[in-house]
Every structure is written in structure tokens, then in C-alpha cells.
Amino acid sequence: TGGVHRGGELSLDISSDLTELSKTPVVVISAGIKSILDIQKTLETLETLSVPTATYQSDEYPSFFSPHSGIQTPHRVENATEVANVFLTSKYKLKLSSGMLIAVPNTHPAGQAVENAIQESLNEVKELQIVGKDVTPYILKAVSEKTKGESLLSNIELVKRNAKIGADIAIAICKEENKFQEEEKDSNELHSEQQEDESNTPSPSTVSSPSSKVIVMGGIVMDLIAKPKKGLKLILSTSNPGICFESDGGVGRNIAEVLGRLGAKPLLYSAIGGSSTSSSSGGGGDSIGQAMIARLTKECGVVVSPDSIHVASSSKNNDDINNTHKNINSTRTATYLAILDHNSDLNVAIADMDIFQHIPIPSTEILQQADALVLDANPPLQSLVKAAINATSSTSTTTTKVFLDPTSVPKARIIGTCDELLKCISYAF
């Protein structure tokens, strides 16, 4: 595979292989990343792109010709079946579209000699000030000459080894995939039955009260991101041609989604608006908040109850709006609008999040049945304190651990002054 070239943080010379792996569900077998590239930065880029990367039966990430690079592998796998199960779990249970990279160390005895020749050639590149597209051809030619053809033999052997292990993994995927497909089929059938049963009860206020071992209390936010078109700089005080992105967000919502996809079935406590923020909706459609809740429950395995989601009432006419203009923000689903500049750095942002004042507090009974309470710092401080105290009350028959994501530096400062809350926290992110 390609990767991040040395000095790539300045030149942005990064192989398109990495981007393609992030959106194509396939297992790629390689002998590692060639040491002519920046191995550490390549691994970090793969992590950023959500591409699982592991080494076959080794704790050290290989450098293509040599099994050694001095860099610890992100993950280790022992056999083809383990690889197959990780890949299929990502595909069927987590619903991720990214691929997976498996590095197989080269065991050919000439591998280390080839690696030494590469390092010598890299030093020559620096001395001769060879840059850009001329680097790789120079190194390949120099390595071939220095190793007297041993690099070719080593290359042939690693191709054979990769092909064998790749074939074993392909067979394992074929054997294991039927099991995952059957589980997905059963899950879809169950989900269809639940949808049919709940066809007349679409809103959170009509979902039956569940029990859950994980409670999440925090914000649901519609994130809106805008930036100028490529090649254009942001001009203030006027309109700019650009691109707008919309995505579901909010720290509490994001945590709940991850836990739901991992099968924890978290119970989410949050607040949403009662009507669409779009004036063209006519008030007849589902709200933005309701749509976000639906995606969480139907696609991610998140649970909601009659008491866990506050749905704000909204004004019906202009008179109502005029009479309640001071509180209008609290009737809308929270929205975060960010304007980025041409470098994708934040220029300015607006956070419309008054509705978080209405996030409900889980009951003592619900909290004391749970193993974990996860808080983000969006609800009012007094609500966070009450939830944490209820969760850790000495009358509880189980020990409920309290996790806190402070969300932002200003909120972290406020929380840091509240001893009543801090003494209840088991872990902070």
C-alpha cells in the first residue's frame, strides 16, 4: 500500500490508497509500509480515516522488506478467523464502510539487508537533494544495485506469503459470513416486527419505558458546517459561494450512537424541538429532532423512553411568537452553525442550545439499576449534580459508575469548581 511520504505534513504527498481504504469494505493484505514512506504518520492517517490496521502474528509493524520498523503495531491478530470476525463485525454490526489493512511480516532472510540498503539510499537522497517524484525511482534503482538483485527475490517471497495468508483470510470470511448474514436477517426481521407494532407510535413520548445498563444524559445537536468553495477565500460582511454540510451531532448523542452500535443499548436522556426549524414545513412533518431520534433508535440501537426525551411545544401563530419571543430558542432542536475559512479552520460559530435547559433527569430507580451513567456537560449544572448524586446514592444495590465528558474548556472550568459533582465522577474524558 501507499502512504504518507516523508515530509508529507508539508508537501501533503499522501497516497490515494488511504482514502480509498476508508470507503471500500475490503481486506487488504500487504507486507507493511515501505520505509521510504513515513510509517508512523501513515498509521496515524489510517486511524483518522477509521481504517482498522493490524499486524499478523507480531507486535511490531513491518516495513515491507523487513519485519522490523521499531514501531508498535496498532493491533495484533493471530489467525485468519480472527481477521474475518473483526472485518465482518465492522461490516455487519457496526455498519462501517471502511476497509481493513493487515500487515504480514516478510520472513525472507534477505529482507533486513534490503532494508539497510533502503536506509543508505534515503541518506543519499538527502545529500543529493533529490525531491518530489524523482525520489522513489532513485531509491528503487539504488536498492536493486546495492543488494545485487536480492530485493527482487525478497519481493517474490513476500508476494507468495501474502497470497497464502490472504487466501486463508478469504476462506475464513466465506465461512464466517453466513453466520453474520443470518444474524443480520434475524435482526432485520425483529426490527420489522417492532416497526409494525409501533407504526402508530412514532414519537419518543409513546415508547414504553425500558431498562438499560447504560444511561446517557446529554445534548442532541444538528451540526451545520459551511466553507468557501475550493480556491476561494472567505470574505466577511457579504455572501460567499461555498459548500454546506449537515450532520447529526451533540456529545451525548454521539456517545449514545457509539454505545448503541457496540450493542450496549444505551438509554438516552436529551431534549429536542417540537417542530421543524424550516418555515416551509407547514408544521406537518416530523421535526429535525424527531428525525434524529428516529435514526438513533432504528439504525444505531439507542433506546428512548417517555420520560427520557423532552419534546418542546412550539408556537402555532404569529401572535404566539410575538408573545414568547424571549423563549423561542428553547422550543427548537439545538443547532450548531460553523463557518470555516479556505483552510477549513473555524472562523466563527453560533450555538443555539437553549433547549438543553430542559434535558430531563433520570429517576433514581432507573439510575440505580444501571451500571454506568454517562454525562456530557450540556445540561444545567444542577441537573448534572442531581443525576450524579442519585446514581451514586448509598441506598443503591449496585455500584453505578459516573462518566463525564466536560464538552468544552469553559464548561470544564465550571465543573471543576463544583466539588459536589466531582466527588461522584468515576472517570472523566
Side-chain angles (χ1 to χ4, degrees):
T1 56
V4 179
H5 286 254
R6 291 170 182 254
E9 70 275 15
L10 300 175
S11 66
L12 297 182
D13 191 354
I14 303 173
S15 171
S16 60
D17 291 354
L18 307 188
T19 305
E20 189 60 37
L21 263 175
S22 72
K23 56 186 180 182
T24 305
V26 62
V27 180
V28 174
I29 313 299
S30 81
I33 299 165
K34 288 182 179 178
S35 58
I36 62 174
L37 303 174
D38 191 319
I39 297 175
Q40 187 67 60
K41 285 188 174 64
T42 300
L43 293 175
E44 290 171 0
T45 302
L46 287 167
E47 180 184 15
T48 299
L49 295 172
S50 300
V51 177
T53 308
T55 301
Y56 198 81
Q57 298 177 348
S58 176
D59 294 322
E60 186 177 5
Y61 200 84
S63 57
F64 198 78
F65 285 108
S66 171
H68 306 295
S69 68
I71 297 172
Q72 185 176 359
T73 183
H75 302 284
R76 173 179 175 140
V77 289
E78 298 297 336
N79 51 58
T81 302
E82 183 179 355
V83 175
N85 278 299
V86 171
F87 174 67
L88 294 170
T89 297
S90 174
K91 179 180 178 181
Y92 287 100
K93 293 188 177 181
L94 300 183
K95 306 297 183 184
L96 300 179
S97 60
S98 58
M100 182 178 183
L101 179 62
I102 302 298
V104 178
N106 181 19
T107 57
H108 189 267
Q112 191 57 52
V114 176
E115 178 60 27
N116 294 339
I118 290 174
Q119 295 304 320
E120 291 177 14
S121 301
L122 285 169
N123 291 332
E124 293 172 7
V125 164
K126 290 182 181 179
E127 293 173 3
L128 297 172
Q129 295 183 339
I130 299 173
V131 295
K133 63 181 181 179
D134 298 325
V135 172
T136 300
Y138 177 87
I139 290 177
L140 293 178
K141 181 181 179 181
V143 169
S144 180
E145 292 173 352
K146 291 176 188 294
T147 61
K148 296 180 173 58
E150 283 294 311
S151 61
L152 176 60
L153 295 177
S154 181
N155 217 338
I156 291 172
E157 288 302 313
L158 69 85
V159 168
K160 289 180 179 178
R161 178 168 164 78
N162 286 354
K164 180 184 182 304
I165 293 175
D168 291 341
I169 292 172
I171 292 170
I173 289 174
C174 288
K175 288 181 177 178
E176 298 292 321
E177 191 160 25
N178 286 337
K179 178 180 70 176
F180 281 84
Q181 288 175 337
E182 286 298 320
E183 290 178 356
E184 183 181 50
K185 180 181 177 182
D186 292 343
S187 176
N188 288 340
E189 289 177 352
L190 178 60
H191 183 64
S192 296
E193 292 174 1
Q194 290 175 338
Q195 280 188 309
E196 185 175 345
D197 292 341
E198 298 171 1
S199 59
N200 296 321
T201 56
S203 69
S205 60
T206 59
V207 179
S208 59
S209 181
S211 61
S212 179
K213 292 298 183 181
V214 182
I215 311 298
V216 179
M217 179 180 171
I220 292 175
V221 182
M222 175 56 67
D223 287 334
L224 304 173
I225 312 295
K227 61 182 294 186
K229 284 188 175 180
K230 187 175 181 180
L232 299 179
K233 290 188 176 182
L234 185 67
I235 303 174
L236 301 181
S237 303
T238 187
S239 60
N240 290 256
I243 303 172
C244 297
F245 307 90
E246 179 181 293
S247 62
D248 295 359
V251 174
R253 193 217 71 88
N254 293 346
I255 293 172
E257 177 184 347
V258 172
L259 292 172
R261 290 186 182 278
L262 291 173
K265 298 181 180 179
L267 173 58
L268 176 62
Y269 280 74
S270 193
I272 60 174
S275 65
S276 172
T277 57
S278 170
S279 60
S280 62
S281 67
D286 288 341
S287 72
I288 288 175
Q290 290 280 9
M292 294 170 74
I293 290 290
R295 286 190 285 272
L296 282 174
T297 57
K298 294 177 182 178
E299 301 173 13
C300 307
V302 176
V303 181
V304 296
S305 79
D307 301 320
S308 74
I309 302 295
H310 170 84
V311 181
S313 59
S314 59
S315 300
K316 300 299 182 182
N317 53 53
N318 290 336
D319 289 337
D320 289 338
I321 293 175
N322 291 334
N323 291 333
T324 61
H325 66 279
K326 293 182 180 180
N327 297 317
I328 192 168
N329 282 2
S330 64
T331 69
R332 296 202 298 254
T333 296
T335 304
Y336 175 79
L337 171 62
I339 307 296
L340 311 183
D341 64 16
H342 63 286
N343 291 320
S344 295
D345 293 325
L346 180 65
N347 184 272
V348 67
I350 300 294
D352 177 3
M353 301 185 181
D354 288 354
I355 198 167
F356 289 161
Q357 300 298 313
H358 303 289
I359 293 177
I361 302 171
S363 69
T364 303
E365 181 184 3
I366 290 290
L367 287 170
Q368 293 184 353
Q369 290 176 354
D371 292 330
L373 168 65
V374 184
L375 304 170
D376 78 14
N378 283 310
L381 181 60
Q382 60 269 29
S383 296
L384 295 175
V385 171
K386 185 173 181 180
I389 291 176
N390 288 348
T392 56
S393 169
S394 59
T395 60
S396 173
T397 57
T398 60
T399 302
T400 304
K401 296 188 179 300
V402 180
F403 298 77
L404 174 69
D405 188 321
T407 309
S408 68
V409 173
K411 290 175 182 175
R413 290 196 185 102
I414 295 172
I415 290 171
T417 63
C418 183
D419 293 337
E420 197 174 13
L421 175 59
L422 291 176
K423 68 182 181 182
C424 299
I425 302 300
S426 305
Y427 303 96
F429 302 132

